[in-house]
Amino acid sequence: MNIETTQTLDKYAQDKYKYGFVTNIVSDRPKKGLDEEIIKFISQKKNEPDWMLTWRLDCYKKWLKMSDPQWANLKFPEINYQDIYYYSAPKGFENKPKDLSEVDPKLIETYNKLGIPLEEQKVLAGVAVDAVFDSVSVATTYKGELEKLGIVFCSISEAVQTHPELVKKYLGSVIPPGDHSFSALNSAVFTDGSFVYIPENVKCPMELSTYFRINAEETGQFERTLIIADKGSYVSYLEGCTAPQRDTNQLHAANVELIALDNAEIKYSTVQNWYPGDEEGKGGIYNFVTKRGLCKGINSKISWTQVETGSSITWKYPSCILKGDNSIGEFYSVAITNNYQQADTGTKMTHIGKNTRSKIISKGISLGNSQNTYRGNVSFLRKANKSRNYTQCDSLLVGNKCGAHTIPYIESKNNTAVVEHEASTSKINEEQLYYCRQRGLSHEEAVSLIVNGFCKQVLQELPMEFAVEAQKLVAISLEGSVG
Amino acid sequence: MIFLNINNLNVSIEGKKILDDFNLTINQGEVHAIMGPNGSGKSTLANVLAGNEDYEVNSGKIIFKDQDLLGLNIEERAQIGIFLAFQYPVEIPGVNITPFLQASINSKLKNENKPELDTLSFAKLLKEKAKDLGIGPDMLKRSINTGFSGGEKKRYEILQMSVLNPEFTIFDETDSGLDVDALRIVTEGINKFKNDNNSFLIITHYQKLLDYINPDYVHVMRNGKILKSGDISLAVEIEKSGYQNF
C-alpha cells in the first residue's frame, strides 16, 4: 500500500458523526438500575393492563437466571445492568400527544435536523413514520389514511391498549422471551416501538417506517416491534436509528418479530447509524438486537435488508423461520466497520416446511482497526424436502489493521436439501484505485465508488427512497467530514 | 508551447534501474510508436507518464504543456489531458460506466473552470460516442470491464478516450491479447479520434498494430533507452529480423 492510499484511509478513519447533537429537553426518568419496581413503573407509565405487567415480570424472572451470550467474536467489558436508566421520556408524555401542536417544538426540531420532518405538510411523500424518542413514540404520520384500509400502524404501547388480542397472540411467539438474556431483558423492560397489522389481501400502499432516536444519557433503549401480515397481504417497513455523540457506551437491545401468514410478504429494511464511538473507540452504542421473522403460512415471504454503519458493537442476526411450505427467506446485508467498531452479524435460516428457499447476501467492509464478522446458520429440518439455500459472503478489507471473519454453520437433516455457499475476502485493490485516478477521480472518490460497487447487490434491495440515502451513508462512513 | 518533453529521465523500481537517461519529444498532433523487446522499459515509461507511484523517479524532467508533470499526482495529470489506455484494464464490479465516466469528465471540466455536465447531457454524449464505436447499449449497462473479453475491454478503453477527449493518449500494448478483428475495430476507433490537436504514444511489441495506424515516428527501445528512431520502415525492419540488431 503506498503512502497516499494510507493517508486517504487515515482520513476516512477520522470519520465525523453528523447526528451526534443532543436535544436539551427535560426528561422524566426513574432511578437507575433494574428491579421489579422499575418494571412496575414502566408498566404503570404506559397504563398497561395486568396481563402485560405479569408477562413482563415473568420475563424478568427468567432474565435473572440467565447470563449474556459469550460466543460472539466481540470484546467489551461486562455490562452493568444496574448502571442504566430503563425509562426516559420527555416531560409531559404521560399520554401520547394527539397531534403535533401538543409536541414540544424542540422535539420536532430534532427530527427536522435528522431529516425526518413530522409536520403533515412536510412529511416524506409515500412514507409513514413513527418517531420514537428514547422510551416513547412522539408522533405517527399518515395514520388516518392507513386506517381507511384497515391497516394498524401505531406504537406498541398504543397497540397494547387498542389491539390487546393481537398483541397477546403474537408477542413473544417468534422470539420466546427465554431464548437468550437480551430477549428476556427486552421482554421485561421494553418501552416503545412500532406495531403493524396488515389485514387480509391488503397491499400497504406506502412504506412504513420507524425512526429511533436515543437522546438521554446513560439510558438504554429497549424497543419492541411487532409486524403481522395477514393472508395475502404485503408490507414494506424501514427502520432508521441515530444517537448523540457521548463518551460513555449506551445499550440498545431491541426485539423485532415478524409474522407472515399464507401468501403474505414482509420486506424489512434497516439503516442503522447509531453513534459508533470516536477514533479511539471511546463511547458508542452497544447494539444487541434480536430480529426474527416467522413465515408461518404457505408461500409466505420475509426479506431482511440491513445497512449497518454505526454502533460501537453490533450483535445482530435477523433470521427467518421457514415453516410454511414454499416459503421464502432472504437476508441482504452491508456492514461497515471503522475505527474500533466491532460487528458480529449475519442471519439464521431455519427450513422446516417443504420446498422452502433462502438466500443470503452479505457484504462486510472493514476499515481502521475494526473487526467485522459474518456469522450464519442455515439448517434444514427433517421434513424440509427439496429446500434450498444460497449464501454469498464477501468481505472487503480497507487498510491493514482491520479484520474480516466468516463463520457459516450449515446443518442438514434432510438429504434432498441443496446448499450453496460462496465466500470471498479481498483487499481494496491498488490497481482499481490507479485505474479510477487515471480517469481523473480523487482517491476518496475512487474508494467510495469501489465500495459502493461492492455493496450494490444489497443496496438495490432497499426501497427506492432510501437507496440513495444509504448510498450517501456508505460514502459518509468512508469519507469522514466530507459532505 | 512545449507539448511533451522527457529529458534525461532516470527511473527505478525497488532499487533496480529501468529507465536510463531517457529522452523523447512529442509535438501536438504527432503519433509516436515505441517498440522494444520484453523488459526494455516500455511499460515503465507509460506508467511513469501517468504518475504511477510504484516507480521512483531518480532524476530528470518531464514537461507537458509547459508544466512540470512530475509535480502532479495521477488524477491531476489525468485532468490536464493525459490518458493511459491500459494493457490489462481492471474489473470494477458493481460500478457502471455512466456515473464513473461522468465523474471523470466533470473532474476535468472542473479543472478547466468549465461548467460540469449533468446526468442527462452526459448520458447523451456517452450514447453518441458508443454508437460511433459500434458499442451497443447493453454493454453500457454492465459493470466496468467485469466479465468482458479482452477485445471488449480494449474497446471500452477507446470509448473512454473518445468521451474524455484527452490531448495525449498512451497505448500500453493495446494490441496484446487481441485477434485480428478486435485489433481492426480498436485501431479504427483510434484513427477516428485522431486529429491535429491530440498526440499519441503507442507502445507495442509487434509491428502488427502499425499496419493499421500510421505513426509519424518509430523508436526502438532497449535497456531503458531509445537506441534508434526513424519512420515506419524501422518497424518493418524489426518485423523481418527482430531486435537482435539493436
Side-chain angles (χ1 to χ4, degrees):
Chain A
M1 183 146 314
N2 62 47
I3 294 166
E4 202 160 340
T5 304
T6 313
Q7 280 168 350
T8 311
L9 297 180
D10 284 349
K11 204 168 141 210
Y12 290 162
Q14 287 152 22
D15 179 8
K16 293 284 174 291
Y17 186 67
K18 282 208 308 185
Y19 309 102
F21 64 90
V22 180
T23 308
N24 285 318
I25 198 157
V26 185
S27 291
D28 191 4
R29 56 184 187 184
K31 64 177 170 53
K32 259 188 191 174
L34 182 56
D35 54 22
E36 291 200 2
E37 269 325 75
I38 290 293
I39 293 168
K40 283 177 188 159
F41 174 90
I42 293 170
S43 188
Q44 196 197 352
K45 274 277 171 201
K46 299 199 173 283
N47 206 10
E48 286 176 353
D50 285 346
W51 61 266
M52 195 70 252
L53 176 63
T54 313
W55 196 75
R56 285 177 181 275
L57 291 173
D58 282 349
C59 297
Y60 172 65
K61 279 174 202 135
K62 283 195 179 105
W63 178 74
L64 282 176
K65 292 183 205 132
M66 301 171 105
S67 49
D68 290 343
Q70 299 294 331
W71 40 260
N73 183 23
L74 301 168
K75 286 194 194 96
F76 60 97
E78 211 178 318
I79 299 165
N80 181 357
Y81 289 99
Q82 298 309 330
D83 199 30
I84 295 172
Y85 289 102
Y86 286 84
Y87 182 89
S88 169
K91 249 201 155 60
F93 261 69
E94 281 75 19
N95 296 305
K96 188 175 173 178
K98 289 196 181 52
D99 57 60
L100 280 182
S101 64
E102 293 181 15
V103 175
D104 188 330
K106 271 189 201 157
L107 280 177
I108 299 172
E109 181 51 36
T110 299
Y111 283 93
N112 279 338
K113 256 170 131 173
L114 296 169
I116 318 283
L118 300 175
E119 291 106 319
E120 281 297 337
Q121 62 273 31
K122 288 191 207 152
V123 288
L124 302 168
V127 184
V129 180
D130 181 23
V132 176
F133 191 85
D134 290 336
S135 306
V136 290
S137 166
V138 177
T140 311
T141 62
Y142 281 121
K143 232 172 132 175
E145 263 173 73
L146 293 168
E147 264 165 24
K148 281 179 207 152
L149 296 164
I151 294 170
V152 184
F153 178 43
C154 63
S155 75
I156 191 113
S157 308
E158 246 176 296
V160 170
Q161 310 289 340
T162 56
H163 297 84
E165 68 299 337
L166 285 172
V167 176
K168 250 189 205 170
K169 186 172 176 189
Y170 289 110
L171 191 71
S173 71
V174 188
I175 307 172
D179 206 66
H180 56 266
S181 66
F182 295 114
S183 65
L185 178 68
N186 176 285
S187 303
V189 303
F190 75 87
T191 42
D192 231 332
S194 298
F195 175 84
V196 176
Y197 172 77
I198 313 288
E200 258 181 62
N201 298 321
V202 170
K203 309 263 179 254
C204 185
M206 56 179 85
E207 304 283 337
L208 302 185
S209 160
T210 306
Y211 195 90
F212 294 98
R213 173 78 177 165
I214 298 180
N215 187 62
E217 213 166 344
E218 297 174 87
T219 301
Q221 193 178 56
F222 304 93
E223 99 227 15
R224 185 98 197 183
T225 291
L226 180 59
I227 299 176
I228 304 148
D230 214 326
K231 289 175 187 164
S233 67
Y234 168 83
V235 63
S236 169
Y237 180 92
L238 184 116
E239 168 204 300
C241 358
T242 56
Q245 199 160 335
R246 298 190 196 283
D247 54 12
T248 49
N249 296 105
Q250 278 180 289
L251 178 64
H252 173 258
N255 275 12
V256 174
E257 296 176 281
L258 313 182
I259 295 116
L261 301 182
D262 290 354
N263 304 304
E265 180 178 349
I266 303 174
K267 193 174 159 64
Y268 192 107
S269 315
T270 307
V271 176
Q272 187 264 107
N273 188 20
W274 293 120
Y275 176 55
D278 67 8
E279 297 94 80
E280 269 109 51
K282 216 166 167 219
I285 300 289
Y286 286 172
N287 195 30
F288 290 92
V289 171
T290 308
K291 289 186 168 166
R292 206 172 290 169
L294 174 63
C295 284
K296 200 171 180 183
I298 53 159
N299 306 322
S300 56
K301 180 175 174 185
I302 289 179
S303 170
W304 299 99
T305 304
Q306 60 172 22
V307 177
E308 303 281 319
T309 64
S311 294
S312 119
I313 287 179
T314 299
W315 180 99
K316 186 182 170 192
Y317 316 90
S319 306
C320 296
I321 301 168
L322 303 168
K323 197 173 170 203
D325 290 347
N326 311 321
S327 59
I328 300 173
E330 290 176 341
F331 174 74
Y332 298 95
S333 169
V334 168
I336 304 178
T337 51
N338 201 343
N339 297 318
Y340 286 88
Q341 279 178 277
Q342 306 175 64
D344 192 303
T345 184
T347 186
K348 207 165 154 179
M349 293 289 177
T350 309
H351 295 255
I352 300 173
K354 285 189 204 75
N355 196 28
T356 49
R357 279 160 294 158
S358 64
K359 183 171 164 188
I360 299 170
I361 308 283
S362 163
K363 305 272 179 179
I365 299 137
S366 328
L367 298 95
N369 290 285
S370 68
Q371 295 295 327
N372 203 324
T373 303
Y374 166 81
R375 187 183 300 275
N377 183 324
V378 176
S379 61
F380 298 91
L381 301 196
R382 234 161 23 86
K383 288 179 181 160
N385 282 336
K386 294 191 174 162
S387 293
R388 300 182 76 105
N389 163 264
Y390 172 76
T391 301
Q392 185 190 335
C393 294
D394 298 319
S395 308
L396 185 68
L397 295 163
V398 185
N400 46 20
K401 287 177 271 180
C402 50
H405 316 268
T406 302
I407 308 173
Y409 301 88
I410 300 167
E411 255 175 275
S412 181
K413 294 197 173 104
N414 183 307
N415 59 12
T416 62
V418 180
V419 195
E420 283 174 79
H421 183 97
E422 283 179 32
S424 76
T425 302
S426 51
K427 272 198 138 186
I428 199 150
N429 189 322
E430 283 295 334
E431 261 180 80
Q432 290 175 331
L433 287 175
Y434 179 36
Y435 190 87
C436 294
R437 294 178 65 197
Q438 209 299 305
R439 302 298 186 249
L441 273 60
S442 73
H443 230 95
E444 244 173 81
E445 286 173 304
V447 171
S448 169
L449 194 82
I450 294 165
V451 171
N452 260 307
F454 176 77
C455 305
K456 196 177 180 186
Q457 231 180 327
V458 172
L459 297 181
Q460 67 193 13
E461 292 297 323
L462 287 172
M464 257 296 262
E465 293 85 342
F466 300 103
V468 180
E469 286 304 310
Q471 213 168 343
K472 276 190 214 151
L473 185 60
V474 169
I476 289 165
S477 307
L478 303 168
E479 272 179 24
S481 52
V482 178
Chain B
M1 180 186 77
I2 295 175
F3 185 74
L4 178 75
N5 178 263
I6 305 171
N7 191 359
N8 285 331
L9 191 68
N10 286 284
V11 173
S12 60
I13 182 163
E14 285 159 9
K16 192 176 169 240
K17 195 162 200 171
I18 312 273
L19 293 186
D20 183 9
D21 278 335
F22 185 91
N23 291 289
L24 179 67
T25 299
I26 295 176
N27 296 310
Q28 215 161 359
E30 288 178 356
V31 179
H32 289 241
I34 288 192
M35 300 182 70
N38 288 330
S40 57
K42 306 184 302 279
S43 279
T44 298
L45 176 66
N47 283 299
V48 167
L49 286 168
N52 189 318
E53 290 137 356
D54 293 341
Y55 299 88
E56 200 186 325
V57 176
N58 305 112
S59 63
K61 248 185 172 173
I62 306 176
I63 303 295
F64 177 67
K65 297 202 299 186
D66 288 339
Q67 292 180 66
D68 172 18
L69 199 66
L70 294 174
L72 304 178
N73 68 22
I74 304 169
E75 56 268 34
E76 288 164 341
R77 296 184 196 196
Q79 287 160 9
I80 61 168
I82 291 186
F83 184 95
L84 172 61
F86 285 87
Q87 185 176 3
Y88 304 110
V90 66
E91 300 192 350
I92 311 180
V95 179
N96 181 270
I97 193 162
T98 311
F100 172 74
L101 261 195
Q102 191 188 348
S104 179
I105 197 166
N106 281 339
S107 76
K108 202 173 162 188
L109 291 169
K110 203 170 157 189
N111 187 269
E112 292 163 2
N113 288 321
K114 286 183 189 155
E116 295 179 28
L117 288 182
D118 60 47
T119 308
L120 219 63
S121 30
F122 175 74
K124 209 176 138 207
L125 173 73
L126 180 64
K127 229 167 119 188
E128 262 169 39
K129 298 287 182 187
K131 206 177 152 200
D132 282 352
L133 293 167
I135 294 175
D138 281 352
M139 202 166 144
L140 296 181
K141 284 182 196 146
R142 290 159 67 180
S143 296
I144 294 169
N145 297 324
T146 309
F148 284 17
S149 70
E152 284 175 327
K153 284 184 181 172
K154 299 295 162 71
R155 271 164 77 188
Y156 232 52
E157 296 289 285
I158 304 300
L159 171 65
Q160 292 181 41
M161 174 188 75
S162 70
V163 170
L164 296 176
N165 195 18
E167 285 164 275
F168 181 49
T169 303
I170 307 152
F171 292 98
D172 187 9
E173 308 223 14
T174 292
D175 49 344
S176 72
L178 292 191
D179 58 31
V180 180
D181 287 337
L183 191 64
R184 189 179 43 79
I185 292 166
V186 165
T187 48
E188 269 172 15
I190 297 171
N191 285 329
K192 212 174 264 178
F193 176 67
K194 206 169 83 178
N195 62 37
D196 289 346
N197 292 320
N198 49 34
S199 310
F200 298 88
L201 179 62
I202 296 164
I203 290 169
T204 182
H205 190 78
Y206 303 104
Q207 185 236 346
K208 207 167 57 182
L209 181 72
L210 306 178
D211 290 344
Y212 299 94
I213 299 174
N214 194 14
D216 300 307
Y217 300 94
V218 174
H219 310 279
V220 178
M221 188 169 174
R222 195 163 197 175
N223 298 327
K225 272 183 194 301
I226 286 177
L227 296 182
K228 197 172 179 185
S229 300
D231 58 15
I232 188 75
S233 60
L234 198 54
V236 178
E237 193 188 325
I238 290 166
E239 188 66 11
K240 221 186 286 164
S241 41
Y243 289 107
Q244 73 251 27
N245 297 339
F246 298 95

